[in-house]
Amino acid sequence: MSFRTTPSVDYVEDVSPGSGSLPPRAWYASSDARSLSLNGSWRFRLSATAGSEDDSFAAEGYDAGNWAEVTVPGHWVLQGDGAFGSPIYTNHLYPFPVDPPYVPTENPTGDHLRVFDLPSDWPSDGGAVLRFDGVESCARVWLNGTELGEFKGSRLAHEFAVGELLKPGSNVLAVRVHQWSAGSYLEDQDQWWLPGIFRDVTLLHRPSGGAGDFFVHASYDHTTGEGTLRVDSDVDGRVSVPALDIDVATGEPVTVAVQPWTAETPKLYDGVLVTDGERVPLRIGFRTVVLEDGLIKVNGKAVLFKGVNRHEWHPEHGRALDLETMREDVLLMKRHNLNAVRTSHYPPHPAFLDLCDEYGLWVIDECDLETHGFTEQDWRDNPVDDDRWTPALLDRAARMVERDKNHPSIVFWSLGNEAGTGRGLTAMAEWIHGRDPERLVHYEGDWNCRDTDVYSRMYAFHDEVEKIGQQLDGGTHRRRELPFIQCEYAHAMGNGPGGLADYQELFEKYERLQGAFVWEWIDHGVRHAELGYAYGGDFGEELHDGNFVCDGLVFPDRTPSPGLIEYKKVIEPVRIEGDGPNGIVHVTNKQDFADLSALAFEWSCQVDGETVESGSLAVPSLAPGESAEVKLPEPPADGRGGERQWTVRALLADDTAWAAKGHVVAWGQFAVGARPLPSFPATDRPVPDGGRITLGPAGFDARTGALLTIGGVEVGATPRLDVWRAPTDNDDGAEWQTDTRYGTLWRTLGLHRMRHRLVSVEAGDDALTVRTRVAPAAREVGLDTVYRWTSDGERLRLTVSVTPEGDWTVPLPRLGVRFGLAEADRVEWFGGGPGEAYPDTGKASMVGRWQSTVDGLQTPYVRPQENGARADVRWVELGGLRIEGDPEFWFTARRWTTEQLDAARHRTDLTAGDTVWVNLDHGQHGIGSQSCGPGPLPQYFLKAEPAEFSFVFSTTR
């Protein structure tokens, strides 16, 4: 005799994709058939385990009046103020024992209940389909007490036939969602684990004779300028495209002259598929994707991807995005010159792909598959090499391809990410190639390119990328014949990424290198009342990967980071270079398809950072790849002897769908002549006065040589040598790169706790000289530092000479002086701006006159770290002081010390003090991308070597 004490939950740990759902088909947003959104407020009950509650809640008449409520789409752990559990963040570690296909008994399970009224005019003919666009990670569904089935595949659509179960009036939809299931082993993406019904739930009327699945084939012949359209449909009908005078039967090809679709020129033709029972709008883009001559070609031309990886994210709603948030993503991408997106690491909400079609972005559509956690056991038991899991893998591939196959923006199908290799991936590739030979197949983990049409890598260093471009990388014969892309590079975590321009130079130099995708689009910070934005570990997770989830080009609120501003500059579609003294501008069209007719050009001339004259510039409508030289007018006369520069901008000539007229697409800046350096005759001598020394407008402590005042400006802390910066995520590096993690090496050496030994204070005839030795405890290395103060009566000059002692085996974080001001708020400077810049992140820094507040200088990285440096500064004014540099310098100002910044884990840890701390830096170490990729290139190292630099101080009051 046997019995069960709990309902059966065997389906949760079944490796199959589920049961009861309909075969996948093309997704379309609307037709003339009726639909009813079931989004909104649902009743909700959370259980600790998968089998702790029976199924009685699914029956009609069940009283759920005492249940809580959640919003669908949504994740229950992001609702209820913590009453429904918490998010979990891991990069690749499974947050449960690796025992496939089993999951813990402690398996949070959310019962969802929605009672809805069928509209009184709901059609009585035909049938109906219930569609779920996304549920994590396993769902079991009932309608009016009848079980429909269960499914896995969180980021994929599932439909159920429900026509015979619908009733006039009230209907009861019940969904049981399990956080963990066998499917979780296939969904180990680098992101928050967030259970729930997080995409739309929709009831669709299926009229008699309504459209079923259909496949829009729309190719383009670049040699004739003609497109061929054929729409294969399960249900016979007709296809019409009025703008092309097309009206043909389904399955019948027709060839006409068309304008092709590209990411630069996203021409879509409105059409309609008409069957006996339904009219389905179509948006058709004609384009052909091929692998030819070892290159990815679209419409006969090789393309260069300037892309980004995009997880779906909202700081309050997680992966439950509305249409306007998706549109904001696409518009931001377009406005920052991106032309491609990889949907890491799952198919996005299908509306996002509609937007990519409309606005123009190349898409790598990636399957909802990652088994990265199996790397901890050398891929033993990896599902992708276990035949039992192959049906689930094929189901995921089919649901991606069938749902999304009618989007012209998609040029690649990706098998998934970081899932090792195996027979299941091969089966997926074979199925996709057979189903859709009109696109290419991608998978990064297949380094031998057995199953893929492109050699794809992530975080390959610059030198290796160059070898690949030169075809000196070895590998299989097939791989050597394929193009190369970096599906992930330039890890945009915290301050950075550095080295973008150096990568782009390689991509443009070698034909085989067809671009790359920055990791990633957005910081996955969770809005938090006390922390601002929370990251891994802030919810008490047993395992977590900290702020590794905050590695985006936009902050959680979608404000562009300095990294996105830099990327926009590096990948701009027009190169503008100049020969300033001769007034020549070199303009190159770096686009693949479009000419420059959509752009207008303007010039301006600056003297000491202020524009004194401007005008329009006639530039030919260059074809892709073409260049031209354009003569600038004569620069205006300047009687001041100031620094003169040209700035040339390329702007949108008219409004577009993604930006308004005048939007800056590209710019170049170049000097007319060399910068005149400030002259400084030292005329005054130091005058002892009791415990003070007076030198020109300044007062010093006679014993220590510390600067106390300049004019009426009180100096809260004297300028002294500073080599420490709060390590960036890229300074700290990835845990597997132990030999070059400079944040750790700097701390080991003790650069965060340097000590200053006063050697002497010397009041000479023309200078006050202070000699010190700056060194860390427990080490013999040091920096002999001499501060030489001189004055011309009104101004004060500081010349700092630094001589390293000992064996310095690591570069310095920074080299300059730090001092404190009692008062400072407004800041004005002549130099690079408006945002921050470092040695390998400064392409977007434009020389000009800029203004800010001290608080406005800070960059709000989710985890505080070194930030806010302005580069190439000639002079800066703040707190009543004007500071000029010889040579140009970096400056930083903040209301907390570097040590306080270093100690903070969230921005809310930083509290403004009474002193504004100012850094004037002669040098900064590069940023790099070592939080997951390469560190700074050698040319951006700040080596410990002799240096001398000067600053001139005067008052502005």
Side-chain angles (χ1 to χ4, degrees):
M1 178 178 180
S2 64
F3 61 92
R4 283 187 179 275
T5 58
T6 60
S8 172
V9 292
D10 292 345
Y11 65 90
V12 174
E13 296 176 330
D14 192 330
V15 298
S16 75
S19 64
S21 58
L22 296 169
R25 65 184 180 117
W27 191 99
Y28 49 93
S30 65
S31 76
D32 64 349
R34 287 289 300 275
S35 66
L36 178 66
S37 172
L38 299 180
N39 296 344
S41 180
W42 289 50
R43 289 291 182 176
F44 177 75
R45 176 182 65 185
L46 182 64
S47 303
T49 66
S52 59
E53 301 285 354
D54 62 28
D55 305 339
S56 60
F57 82 104
E60 297 177 82
Y62 182 88
D63 183 5
N66 63 343
W67 285 22
E69 294 187 28
V70 294
T71 297
V72 172
H75 306 278
W76 70 69
V77 294
L78 296 181
Q79 304 182 57
D81 294 325
F84 306 140
S86 301
I88 300 170
Y89 167 60
T90 61
N91 169 27
H92 77 281
L93 296 174
Y94 289 106
F96 48 80
V98 180
D99 184 22
Y102 304 109
V103 295
T105 301
E106 297 82 11
N107 186 359
T109 296
D111 288 337
H112 298 69
L113 201 61
R114 176 78 152 88
V115 178
F116 65 94
D117 289 332
L118 194 69
S120 58
D121 58 348
W122 187 266
S124 58
D125 69 311
V129 163
L130 178 65
R131 184 175 70 204
F132 294 88
D133 283 318
V135 183
E136 183 175 331
S137 75
C138 173
R140 187 179 179 189
V141 186
W142 296 261
L143 181 63
N144 292 328
T146 299
E147 182 173 350
L148 304 180
E150 79 283 339
F151 62 89
K152 307 177 191 77
S154 298
R155 269 66 72 172
L156 299 162
H158 294 81
E159 293 182 326
F160 295 92
V162 297
E164 295 181 354
L165 299 176
L166 288 173
K167 302 187 308 180
S170 180
N171 290 263
V172 179
L173 174 59
V175 184
R176 173 165 286 169
V177 180
H178 307 283
Q179 174 155 19
W180 311 122
S181 69
S184 301
Y185 285 99
L186 304 180
E187 296 172 4
D188 189 26
Q189 293 97 338
D190 174 12
Q191 61 181 348
W192 294 96
W193 298 88
L194 299 173
I197 305 172
F198 68 96
R199 288 186 186 157
D200 306 289
V201 182
T202 311
L203 181 67
L204 303 166
H205 175 235
R206 303 310 305 137
S208 300
D213 189 25
F214 59 91
F215 197 161
V216 177
H217 302 271
S219 62
Y220 178 72
D221 186 336
H222 65 279
T223 63
T224 65
E226 294 178 323
T228 298
L229 175 66
R230 187 187 80 248
V231 178
D232 295 332
S233 175
D234 287 352
V235 177
D236 290 343
R238 296 194 68 80
V239 175
S240 63
V241 185
L244 298 175
D245 292 327
I246 291 176
D247 185 356
V248 295
T250 53
E252 180 180 331
V254 58
T255 300
V256 294
V258 298
Q259 298 178 44
W261 188 98
T262 73
E264 296 167 7
T265 57
K267 175 63 178 179
L268 291 174
Y269 291 92
D270 289 322
V272 61
L273 166 64
V274 181
T275 66
D276 286 346
E278 190 174 12
R279 296 174 59 88
V280 180
L282 305 176
R283 303 211 76 192
I284 301 166
F286 291 86
R287 58 106 187 93
T288 296
V289 184
V290 297
L291 183 64
E292 183 179 81
D293 302 324
L295 298 173
I296 305 159
K297 293 185 178 181
V298 180
N299 301 339
K301 292 186 177 181
V303 296
L304 184 62
F305 296 115
K306 304 169 184 178
V308 69
N309 287 270
R310 174 187 175 269
H311 270 295
E312 295 177 305
W313 186 251
H314 187 282
E316 296 172 358
H317 308 303
R319 287 187 285 279
L321 301 188
D322 60 14
L323 180 61
E324 288 313 305
T325 300
M326 291 184 254
R327 189 185 307 276
E328 184 178 359
D329 279 347
V330 172
L331 293 177
L332 279 170
M333 290 176 188
K334 293 292 290 186
R335 290 167 185 167
H336 289 86
N337 294 332
L338 279 75
N339 71 0
V341 60
R342 176 182 177 224
T343 69
S344 54
H345 296 294
Y346 44 82
H349 191 293
F352 178 78
L353 299 174
D354 287 339
L355 295 169
C356 293
D357 294 341
E358 178 181 352
Y359 292 102
L361 288 169
W362 307 116
V363 174
I364 296 179
D365 195 3
E366 194 146 87
C367 194
D368 190 7
L369 172 62
E370 180 166 337
T371 64
H372 198 179
F374 284 91
T375 189
E376 293 294 314
Q377 54 203 58
D378 296 324
W379 298 107
R380 187 174 59 257
D381 297 328
N382 186 9
V384 304
D385 200 28
D386 184 334
D387 291 339
R388 294 175 300 168
W389 294 80
T390 299
L393 303 182
L394 290 172
D395 180 76
R396 289 172 183 249
R399 290 188 182 278
M400 170 183 68
V401 172
E402 301 297 6
R403 191 197 76 167
D404 297 342
K405 58 183 176 282
N406 294 325
H407 292 282
S409 55
I410 297 172
V411 292
F412 271 100
W413 302 115
S414 180
L415 303 180
N417 183 69
E418 292 178 320
T421 57
R423 291 163 288 177
L425 290 169
T426 299
M428 293 169 69
E430 290 176 349
W431 185 90
I432 292 173
H433 276 122
R435 176 58 174 148
D436 183 18
E438 298 169 357
R439 291 183 176 93
L440 306 180
V441 171
H442 166 273
Y443 178 65
E444 183 273 337
D446 182 14
W447 285 19
N448 289 327
C449 302
R450 179 181 64 178
D451 301 322
T452 61
D453 299 311
V454 62
Y455 177 30
S456 177
R457 291 280 301 281
M458 54 176 70
Y459 308 110
F461 288 17
H462 295 77
D463 56 351
E464 183 183 5
V465 170
E466 181 155 33
K467 289 180 181 178
I468 294 171
Q470 296 169 334
Q471 296 186 313
L472 299 177
D473 55 304
T476 63
H477 176 73
R478 171 171 168 75
R479 190 180 89 180
R480 293 196 305 273
E481 292 184 331
L482 293 179
F484 175 80
I485 63 171
Q486 287 238 67
C487 67
E488 294 179 23
Y489 87 126
H491 199 249
M493 185 176 177
N495 189 333
L500 283 169
D502 307 276
Y503 271 122
Q504 195 64 26
E505 182 179 341
L506 295 173
F507 300 152
E508 295 178 10
K509 181 177 181 180
Y510 298 104
E511 187 179 49
R512 186 188 185 194
L513 307 180
Q514 292 199 251
F517 297 75
V518 168
W519 185 266
E520 63 160 306
W521 176 241
I522 188 169
D523 287 341
H524 299 202
V526 177
R527 198 179 301 280
H528 192 283
E530 298 175 1
L531 303 177
Y533 291 108
Y535 49 76
D538 288 333
F539 296 98
E541 299 101 308
E542 183 179 49
L543 293 173
H544 67 85
D545 286 288
N547 69 312
F548 202 68
V549 76
C550 295
D551 45 14
L553 290 173
V554 298
F555 297 125
D557 64 357
R558 284 179 162 74
T559 300
S561 76
L564 181 58
I565 305 302
E566 176 79 353
Y567 196 32
K568 175 186 178 181
K569 174 62 179 168
V570 167
I571 61 173
E572 57 191 9
V574 183
R575 180 184 290 123
I576 301 172
E577 299 171 315
D579 178 355
N582 293 315
I584 300 294
V585 181
H586 306 273
V587 179
T588 302
N589 182 358
K590 294 161 61 179
Q591 298 178 106
D592 296 322
F593 297 93
D595 61 23
L596 299 187
S597 59
L599 301 178
F601 291 79
E602 66 177 24
W603 62 267
S604 60
C605 185
Q606 291 81 38
V607 177
D608 289 339
E610 294 184 297
T611 297
V612 295
E613 198 168 327
S614 62
S616 60
L617 187 67
V619 174
S621 182
L622 301 171
E626 287 188 344
S627 300
E629 288 190 353
V630 182
K631 188 74 170 69
L632 290 165
E634 289 297 317
D638 172 40
R640 295 179 293 172
E643 180 178 355
R644 294 191 294 173
Q645 290 174 314
W646 293 107
T647 303
V648 176
R649 294 177 174 85
L651 318 169
L652 287 180
D654 296 293
D655 291 346
T656 69
W658 49 269
K661 177 181 178 180
H663 168 77
V664 178
V665 173
W667 58 271
Q669 194 173 58
F670 27 93
V672 175
R675 172 198 171 200
L677 295 176
S679 62
F680 192 90
T683 58
D684 280 24
R685 60 178 298 170
V687 179
D689 181 12
R692 292 170 63 95
I693 295 175
T694 300
L695 178 60
F700 295 83
D701 184 291
R703 185 178 61 85
T704 65
L707 176 66
L708 303 174
T709 60
I710 302 176
V713 177
E714 179 182 349
V715 178
T718 189
R720 67 177 188 170
L721 190 74
D722 190 17
V723 298
W724 180 243
R725 72 184 186 196
T728 67
D729 292 313
N730 288 306
D731 289 338
D732 284 338
E735 61 183 13
W736 57 87
Q737 297 178 346
T738 55
D739 58 333
T740 54
R741 296 176 68 188
Y742 289 109
T744 300
L745 295 174
W746 292 336
R747 290 186 197 277
T748 301
L749 186 58
L751 300 189
H752 61 307
R753 47 177 175 79
M754 300 290 276
R755 297 293 181 259
H756 298 250
R757 177 170 62 86
L758 180 62
V759 176
S760 65
V761 178
E762 305 165 6
D765 290 339
D766 62 350
L768 174 66
T769 302
V770 181
R771 301 182 187 276
T772 68
R773 186 174 190 272
V774 183
R779 306 293 174 182
E780 64 176 353
V781 297
L783 299 167
D784 276 351
T785 307
V786 178
Y787 308 91
R788 188 172 188 272
W789 297 94
T790 56
S791 176
D792 65 356
E794 295 183 355
R795 298 176 296 166
L796 184 69
R797 182 183 182 109
L798 168 63
T799 300
V800 183
S801 302
V802 181
T803 304
E805 286 186 338
D807 184 15
W808 285 85
T809 59
V810 298
L812 298 172
R814 70 180 343 135
L815 181 66
V817 296
R818 176 171 61 165
F819 67 98
L821 291 174
E823 296 181 17
D825 184 26
R826 299 297 306 177
V827 184
E828 183 174 357
W829 73 98
F830 172 30
E836 72 182 26
Y838 292 83
D840 54 349
T841 68
K843 293 296 182 183
S845 181
M846 178 183 287
V847 174
R849 289 274 290 271
W850 307 103
Q851 293 184 344
S852 177
T853 62
V854 170
D855 293 340
L857 294 174
Q858 315 311 309
T859 304
Y861 295 115
V862 174
R863 185 191 75 81
Q865 56 197 270
E866 165 61 34
N867 74 90
R870 269 53 180 185
D872 303 316
V873 175
R874 282 73 162 155
W875 56 256
V876 59
E877 293 181 355
L878 76 166
L881 290 181
R882 179 184 174 97
I883 307 164
E884 298 177 78
D886 179 12
E888 297 150 8
F889 60 98
W890 279 270
F891 94 87
T892 310
R894 52 178 66 103
R895 299 186 187 278
W896 36 79
T897 65
T898 300
E899 291 73 22
Q900 291 168 329
L901 182 64
D902 187 17
R905 290 297 170 261
H906 296 87
R907 286 189 56 79
T908 51
D909 296 334
L910 295 168
T911 303
D914 296 331
T915 301
V916 171
W917 295 95
V918 181
N919 276 89
L920 310 175
D921 289 319
H922 174 64
Q924 282 269 359
H925 187 61
I927 296 295
S929 185
Q930 201 170 357
S931 51
C932 196
L937 290 169
Q939 60 265 38
Y940 305 118
F941 278 35
L942 179 58
K943 297 179 180 178
E945 55 191 13
E948 183 172 285
F949 47 94
S950 298
F951 304 102
V952 176
F953 298 81
S954 58
T955 60
T956 59
R957 294 174 179 170

